Amino acid sequence: MSLFTSKLLRNGPSATRVREPLGDRIFLLVVKLMLTVMLLVVLAPLVFIVANSFSSAEAVNAGRVKFWPVEFSLHAYEVALSNSQVLQGYYNSLIYAVAGTLISVTLTVAIAYPLSRKTFFGRNVIMTALIFTMLFSGGLIPTYMVVQNLGMLNTRWALLIPGAIGVWQVIIARTFFANSIPDELFEAASLDGASEIRVLRSVVLPLSKPLLAVLALMYTIYQWNTYFDALVYLKDPDLFPLQIVLRNMLILNSTRPGAEDLAQQLEQMQLVSVLRYALIVVSSLPVLLIYPFIARHFTKGVMVGAVKG
Amino acid sequence: MATTTPHPTPVPSADRRPARSPHRSDMELARRSRWAQAQLSWRRHWQLYLLASVPLAYFVIFKYVPMAFNVIAFKDYSPVLGPWGSEWVGLRNFELLFGNPVFLTLLENTVILAGYLVLASFPIPILLALALNEIRNGWFKRTVQMVTYAPYFISTVVVVSMTILLLSPRSGIVSTNFLGEPDYFRHIYVWSDVWQTAGYSAVIYMAALAGIDPVLHESAKIDGASRLQRIRHIDLPGLLPTAVIVLILGVGNTMAIGFEKAYLLQNDLNLAQSEIIPTYVYKTGLINADFSMATAVGLFNSVVNLCLLLVVNFAAKKVTGKGLWR
């Protein structure tokens, strides 16, 4: 029966689709209306921000911009992209994202792969120990003391190492290895006399590209978006990632004025509010650029985790 | 598939014996066979043990050593003497904490905020997933999915900035100063969170819906069931196990509610409701440099959270037949 109906469905809507009863068509209309409302609610703030960022300072300050740029201007972007703090923050965040992702993915694979092997003695004990750290954390201050004792305070390492491995990511990777690499492969490889590291490098990793993509995306997004570790561990403004720079400019209002006369100061104050909108757009741009990849791969990662939590 | 025969695995001889009261020699044998297993595993996988040693060291240093450093909650910590050399004060930090009227406010703020968040962010993703599941694959469905999913990837700093810009009387689209009113803090926190995560959370439910056998829907259709009836009697029961897990996980996370957003949304005016345990720990420890007190508050939080998780896991086992882990 299911064969019959699925064939029916495959034949396409125009040929065989039966007209739905009136009640269902009304219901579907309501559903679509609801989805449209949800779409608009999510979209409206984003459009509001973008529209403001492309408007003139006067229009923004007068509150005349709603959902379309008024007196189109790129001035805010020019100022944002020539600000040394923003550029330094961008540069730092790029370093943290690239280096952090490399370190994190390597370490995650290094623990998840052995734990995925059924003959790896101690795997259950180790896994339990890892999961326990999800349930009970050492806390902010004790972790700070460890970082302090290691001499990592106020260095780039403080953002790369203390949060390097996510247990969730280990679970995702371990599940992937356990489910998608057949055991026969290991036997064949060991009969050929390949060492464990060699098997990992030339057999397992080439088969695990989707996993590596998911892990890399997750860690990159985390590094790009987080500000907590930087807030706690860094004092030197030259090391600040973009998110801290944004926080200082957007939320604490601490843009350095540096203007001489009153007219200039006033102009700058006006500019500051447009600048905020432009900064939001500029800082979210890298994530937006990789968003199509994220939408495809992230979902898979979420699913793996959800299936085997 | 049929040709692959299970390769003979050496069964420990202890397991083969007829069941009887655990004799000393049996336990000895079992212990020895475990030791033999370990040796075999080491001979076979020594490279993997070396590989795993680096991440294991990471977990010891950055997760387990901090747990040990929690002793300073029971000490008068002095940086010169270190966590082990500092003087013991017993439960004094906890007595001070529980005696402080601020403590009750903190606890109340934390629990109410977390509870509100769990309840408010529960139904909307389900509604979104059910609605998306009803409509045909096409540009509209794809657009709704892509757009609602996107805010999840915006940073907390940016989301809070957007919230402030939208809600500030000067630049935004409203005329009340919502952020200066303590009473609005929770609504702002929770609903901006729903805005950010609804699309992402819906993905999990979409997967659960995709797992429902289409034959159920087809036969219901033949029986003349309306769309609403099919949602009510097929989709909702199909979502129930996932929904229970999500809800339970949310409750289990009560005490682990995010520092990042609360700290950013805080200002002197809304502090009465926006000060929660994590932000208080940060301020006490790193701004006022009272390490022992901050650790005591943090430890209290971690222990309560662990208990909550255990209770919640027990409940999950009762309801769904399996726990969240193991």
Side-chain angles (χ1 to χ4, degrees):
Chain A
M1 192 218 70
S2 76
L3 230 173
F4 171 65
T5 43
S6 64
K7 205 169 187 179
L8 247 178
L9 287 175
R10 232 180 293 130
N11 276 345
S14 55
T16 48
R17 180 171 289 265
V18 186
R19 221 170 141 74
E20 288 192 80
L22 184 67
D24 274 5
R25 272 183 289 150
I26 294 175
F27 178 71
L28 208 57
L29 207 68
V30 174
V31 164
K32 280 184 180 164
L33 207 69
M34 193 186 82
L35 283 175
T36 311
V37 170
M38 282 183 171
L39 179 74
L40 291 179
V41 167
V42 174
L43 208 53
L46 299 171
V47 175
F48 178 79
I49 300 289
V50 174
N52 270 280
S53 75
F54 284 111
S55 300
S56 73
E58 294 81 46
V60 170
N61 281 299
R64 279 189 286 136
V65 187
K66 293 290 177 245
F67 299 110
W68 198 255
V70 176
E71 295 162 21
F72 184 85
S73 150
L74 289 173
H75 192 49
Y77 286 96
E78 281 163 24
V79 176
L81 291 176
S82 59
N83 182 307
S84 63
Q85 279 173 281
V86 173
L87 290 180
Q88 181 72 33
Y90 234 94
Y91 171 73
N92 288 336
S93 278
L94 275 177
I95 292 182
Y96 296 134
V98 172
T101 302
L102 271 176
I103 294 172
S104 295
V105 172
T106 310
L107 289 179
T108 305
V109 169
I111 186 73
Y113 174 64
L115 288 178
S116 76
R117 296 291 300 271
K118 291 182 189 69
T119 47
F120 188 79
F121 186 81
R123 69 203 283 257
N124 290 334
V125 177
I126 295 173
M127 204 59 220
T128 310
L130 297 200
I131 289 175
F132 184 70
T133 66
M134 285 173 111
L135 309 179
F136 187 85
S137 89
L140 171 69
I141 301 298
T143 310
Y144 179 88
M145 285 161 62
V146 169
V147 175
Q148 192 177 32
N149 284 338
L150 291 172
M152 283 183 179
L153 278 191
N154 219 5
T155 68
R156 291 195 195 275
W157 296 111
L159 299 201
L160 301 175
I161 306 296
I165 310 181
V167 178
W168 194 240
Q169 278 69 21
V170 174
I171 294 174
I172 290 174
R174 189 183 89 134
T175 312
F176 179 91
F177 289 134
N179 293 345
S180 56
I181 314 283
D183 284 346
E184 289 82 2
L185 218 65
F186 298 126
E187 276 156 45
S190 77
L191 280 180
D192 287 348
S195 74
E196 290 279 1
I197 294 293
R198 190 155 168 157
V199 172
L200 175 62
R201 232 189 36 220
S202 17
V203 180
V204 176
L205 286 184
L207 286 174
S208 308
K209 280 181 194 137
L211 171 79
L212 297 179
V214 168
L215 291 181
L217 279 175
M218 284 180 157
Y219 284 123
T220 307
I221 301 274
Y222 169 78
Q223 279 288 357
W224 189 265
N225 281 347
T226 188
Y227 81 94
F228 181 69
D229 284 352
L231 177 76
V232 172
Y233 299 132
L234 296 185
K235 289 222 158 49
D236 181 0
D238 288 344
L239 299 179
F240 283 170
L242 187 58
Q243 299 300 330
I244 290 280
V245 176
L246 286 179
R247 169 184 172 258
N248 294 344
M249 290 183 142
L250 294 169
I251 297 169
L252 302 184
N253 295 332
S254 70
T255 28
R256 295 177 197 151
E260 288 85 39
D261 59 281
L262 198 69
Q264 226 177 335
Q265 224 167 3
L266 208 73
E267 195 193 299
Q268 214 155 23
M269 267 169 62
Q270 280 211 318
L271 191 65
V272 163
S273 54
V274 204
L275 192 61
R276 290 208 187 107
Y277 294 101
L279 278 176
I280 287 178
V281 176
V282 166
S283 67
S284 309
L285 210 63
V287 179
L288 240 86
L289 287 179
I290 54 171
Y291 181 60
F293 300 97
I294 299 174
R296 192 148 17 106
H297 289 294
F298 230 77
T299 321
K300 284 185 208 149
V302 175
M303 289 307 72
V304 174
V307 169
K308 203 156 183 192
Chain B
M1 270 316 279
T3 52
T4 54
T5 49
H7 62 277
T9 43
V11 180
S13 54
D15 292 353
R16 282 272 176 82
R17 300 213 170 163
R20 57 185 150 111
S21 62
H23 214 264
R24 180 173 290 265
S25 64
D26 271 6
M27 279 160 60
E28 184 76 359
L29 250 171
R31 205 170 58 83
R32 261 197 216 153
S33 87
R34 278 184 75 75
W35 176 235
Q37 255 183 327
Q39 275 182 317
L40 187 70
S41 176
W42 169 257
R43 239 178 290 143
R44 211 173 142 185
H45 299 307
W46 64 271
Q47 289 187 327
L48 294 185
Y49 282 99
L50 284 188
L51 187 68
S53 66
V54 180
L56 281 179
Y58 163 86
F59 277 100
V60 170
I61 295 170
F62 290 101
K63 304 291 167 185
Y64 280 91
V65 171
M67 287 183 206
F69 277 2
N70 271 304
V71 289
I72 69 166
F74 307 96
K75 292 187 167 206
D76 181 15
Y77 177 68
S78 119
V80 184
L81 299 172
W84 309 116
S86 296
E87 198 189 331
W88 289 98
V89 294
L91 293 174
R92 198 187 69 191
N93 287 318
F94 290 93
E95 280 160 17
L96 276 173
L97 172 66
F98 298 140
N100 191 337
V102 169
F103 172 72
L104 271 184
T105 317
L106 279 179
L107 198 60
E108 189 190 320
N109 284 345
T110 310
V111 171
I112 292 180
L113 186 64
Y116 185 12
L117 185 66
V118 171
L119 290 181
S121 54
F122 180 63
I124 290 173
I126 297 182
L127 216 61
L128 182 60
L130 284 173
L132 280 171
N133 196 45
E134 284 302 301
I135 62 173
R136 236 175 317 138
N137 288 323
W139 68 269
F140 181 64
K141 186 171 177 173
R142 271 203 309 277
T143 309
V144 174
Q145 265 184 304
M146 283 293 268
V147 170
T148 52
Y149 194 30
Y152 181 76
F153 299 99
I154 299 175
S155 75
T156 313
V157 173
V158 167
V159 168
V160 171
S161 308
M162 284 173 62
T163 313
I164 292 174
L165 282 172
L166 284 165
L167 294 182
S168 72
R170 246 168 18 108
S171 56
I173 37 187
V174 291
S175 54
T176 325
N177 184 14
F178 288 104
L179 285 154
E181 296 283 330
D183 288 342
Y184 286 116
F185 170 80
R186 284 172 194 146
H187 302 301
I188 295 171
Y189 184 105
V190 166
W191 291 104
S192 63
D193 218 81
V194 171
W195 176 82
Q196 196 181 5
T197 59
Y200 172 78
S201 312
V203 171
I204 297 166
Y205 293 113
M206 293 284 284
L209 286 173
I212 293 175
D213 191 349
V215 171
L216 287 175
H217 275 284
E218 280 158 25
S219 44
K221 248 188 259 177
I222 290 167
D223 289 345
S226 72
R227 280 176 177 268
L228 197 60
Q229 280 172 319
R230 275 184 278 134
I231 288 180
R232 162 92 180 68
H233 295 286
I234 300 174
D235 288 346
L236 278 182
L239 283 185
L240 194 66
T242 313
V244 169
I245 294 283
V246 168
L247 196 61
I248 276 170
L249 271 177
V251 174
N253 267 330
T254 302
M255 304 305 276
I257 188 158
F259 163 93
E260 294 209 346
K261 199 161 153 188
Y263 189 67
L264 291 175
L265 278 172
Q266 259 180 13
N267 55 47
D268 293 340
L269 298 173
N270 65 20
L271 216 53
Q273 292 197 9
S274 66
E275 188 79 298
I276 57 175
I277 292 177
T279 57
Y280 184 76
V281 170
Y282 171 77
K283 288 177 186 168
T284 313
L286 293 182
I287 294 179
N288 299 340
D290 188 348
F291 274 30
S292 281
M293 183 45 114
T295 305
V297 184
L299 182 61
F300 166 78
N301 200 41
S302 299
V303 170
V304 172
N305 197 45
L306 181 63
C307 295
L308 251 178
L309 272 169
L310 292 178
V311 169
V312 141
N313 186 51
F314 178 76
K317 263 186 191 153
K318 282 267 171 201
V319 175
T320 64
K322 62 175 186 173
L324 301 173
W325 62 91
R326 302 264 149 243

